[in-house]
Amino acid sequence: MTILYWLLAFLLHQNLVNVISLRVIRTSYPLSGTLISMVARSKSGELLLETPSTIDIMMKDVATGILNLQRSNSTGTRIGFVDIPLPVTGGTELDDWPGGIQQKFSVLSALLKDGGTFKALNFSTSVVNKSNFMSEAEDGIGIWEDKGIVLTTFVTPEQVDEIVDRSEKMNNQELFVLINNQFFLDPLSRDISKNLLKNGENAYTLEQLNMRGYDGVLPVRGVLFRCYPDKFQVGRRLDEGGYVLIRQFEYKPSREELEMVFKEDSTVRDKNLSFQQRLQKMIPQF
């Protein structure tokens, strides 16, 4: 555990790990509630999409999205979602997470502490250092509560009833936040779980996307990004680096909608690729 915390702290403060690489300017500012003009452009003149360049910036932006949502009275919900990628720490050639959910919890809790999220939310030291869980500790479902905000990690459908009950008792200055929830819904899932996801609001989303081009074969890399209250922004990875903005949504788009967005973009962007260029995209070493 000591080695893990040391390694994460080193990565955070030395800025050696890029969550998603980029070459753009900021588009969201703490508690501004507005999206300023994006002036960074690609070589072809297209708008570039900004995402956090380092883990510590991402974790501070997470706090920004949470605070913006907490102070907003327009959503009518007291449930907030945060979905972020975790840096693989201690993985093997066969498994990125050999320690399972406990290993992921160790990484995520360290990011919340060392990445500045708790500090930006003004959580007290006593709350941050307290180890509380909504179930057994080995399940990794941590919970911290301070300043009208409840933060949880890796909650599952088993905690839905408690989450709904607590959130219904909250006033409009309080917020229950689910970070990297483990809700994998299917047709047999309870309505209460479906309604929780439907009625909650995304405070922060940073999702890497592996999509297919217009022919269903060409690999296309992208990203879905949102820091509340900005729109959901979809970007496509450029060969020269960075992401070009290809679509914005007022709501979180479904997988099917994202597939259509990338297919439409690829139909225009990739239609004149030579056979060799296609091979280079499919086999980077070619």
Side-chain angles (χ1 to χ4, degrees), residues 4-73:
L4 173 62
Y5 271 75
W6 179 88
L7 178 58
L8 282 171
F10 179 77
L11 294 176
L12 288 167
H13 297 301
Q14 296 299 319
N15 291 335
L16 295 180
V17 175
N18 285 343
V19 180
I20 297 180
S21 60
L22 68 156
R23 298 172 184 172
V24 290
I25 64 168
R26 300 298 297 166
T27 61
S28 300
Y29 286 86
L31 305 179
S32 66
T34 59
L35 180 66
I36 68 172
S37 298
M38 291 177 288
V39 297
R41 295 181 180 273
S42 66
K43 293 179 180 179
S44 60
E46 297 175 285
L47 293 176
L48 291 178
L49 170 62
E50 179 205 20
T51 57
S53 59
T54 60
I55 296 176
D56 55 347
I57 292 176
M58 177 183 74
M59 297 310 296
K60 291 180 176 66
D61 285 351
V62 166
T64 296
I66 292 173
L67 289 173
N68 283 339
L69 182 56
Q70 182 193 27
R71 299 176 187 183
S72 171
N73 295 320

Side-chain angles (χ1 to χ4, degrees), residues 7 9 22 24 29 33 42 44 58 65 92-93 122 146 159 189 194 200 211 232 243 255 270:
L7 178 58
L22 68 156
V24 290
Y29 286 86
S42 66
S44 60
M58 177 183 74
T92 67
E93 292 183 359
N122 201 28
D146 201 5
Q159 287 75 49
S189 297
K194 297 177 182 178
M211 312 298 286
F232 286 90
Y243 290 85
R255 180 72 182 185
D270 304 321

Side-chain angles (χ1 to χ4, degrees), residues 219-279:
V220 177
R221 294 175 59 193
V223 63
L224 177 63
F225 178 63
R226 197 268 179 110
C227 182
Y228 186 86
D230 293 343
K231 296 179 180 180
F232 286 90
Q233 302 168 77
V234 183
R236 170 171 168 163
R237 177 76 175 177
L238 297 174
D239 292 338
E240 63 267 25
Y243 290 85
V244 62
L245 180 67
I246 59 176
R247 189 70 61 84
Q248 296 189 80
F249 289 85
E250 295 288 348
Y251 57 89
K252 185 176 182 179
S254 65
R255 180 72 182 185
E256 291 74 18
E257 289 174 306
L258 289 171
E259 290 174 349
M260 183 60 66
V261 167
F262 281 92
K263 183 177 180 179
E264 292 175 352
D265 177 80
S266 177
T267 299
V268 176
R269 194 182 304 274
D270 304 321
K271 64 180 181 180
N272 295 322
L273 290 179
S274 66
F275 178 72
Q276 182 175 356
Q277 289 173 322
R278 287 175 58 84
L279 282 179

Side-chain angles (χ1 to χ4, degrees), residues 103-249:
Q103 181 184 356
K104 290 183 178 181
F105 173 77
S106 296
V107 171
L108 181 50
S109 60
L111 292 180
L112 292 170
K113 295 176 183 178
D114 299 332
T117 306
F118 284 135
K119 182 178 180 180
L121 294 175
N122 201 28
F123 274 32
S124 67
T125 302
S126 60
V127 169
V128 171
N129 293 332
K130 190 179 299 182
S131 296
N132 290 326
F133 297 89
M134 295 185 69
S135 63
E136 300 298 327
E138 55 265 25
D139 294 333
I141 306 175
I143 182 169
W144 300 265
E145 182 174 0
D146 201 5
K147 304 299 185 296
I149 298 174
V150 179
L151 290 187
T152 61
T153 59
F154 304 115
V155 295
T156 72
E158 294 183 4
Q159 287 75 49
V160 167
D161 293 291
E162 180 179 350
I163 294 170
V164 171
D165 181 66
R166 293 192 60 175
S167 65
E168 288 180 344
K169 298 175 182 177
M170 289 180 164
N171 60 47
N172 60 7
Q173 298 299 316
E174 297 176 315
L175 188 66
F176 202 109
V177 181
L178 285 57
I179 304 177
N180 287 12
N181 71 77
Q182 303 295 291
F183 291 169
F184 304 109
L185 301 184
D186 56 49
L188 298 179
S189 297
R190 295 189 301 159
D191 288 341
I192 190 173
S193 297
K194 297 177 182 178
N195 290 334
L196 177 65
L197 291 178
K198 178 181 178 181
N199 297 327
E201 182 64 81
N202 292 84
Y204 192 89
T205 297
L206 182 60
E207 180 181 352
Q208 299 181 61
L209 303 172
N210 292 313
M211 312 298 286
R212 295 293 176 182
Y214 69 96
D215 57 359
V217 177
L218 190 70
V220 177
R221 294 175 59 193
V223 63
L224 177 63
F225 178 63
R226 197 268 179 110
C227 182
Y228 186 86
D230 293 343
K231 296 179 180 180
F232 286 90
Q233 302 168 77
V234 183
R236 170 171 168 163
R237 177 76 175 177
L238 297 174
D239 292 338
E240 63 267 25
Y243 290 85
V244 62
L245 180 67
I246 59 176
R247 189 70 61 84
Q248 296 189 80
F249 289 85

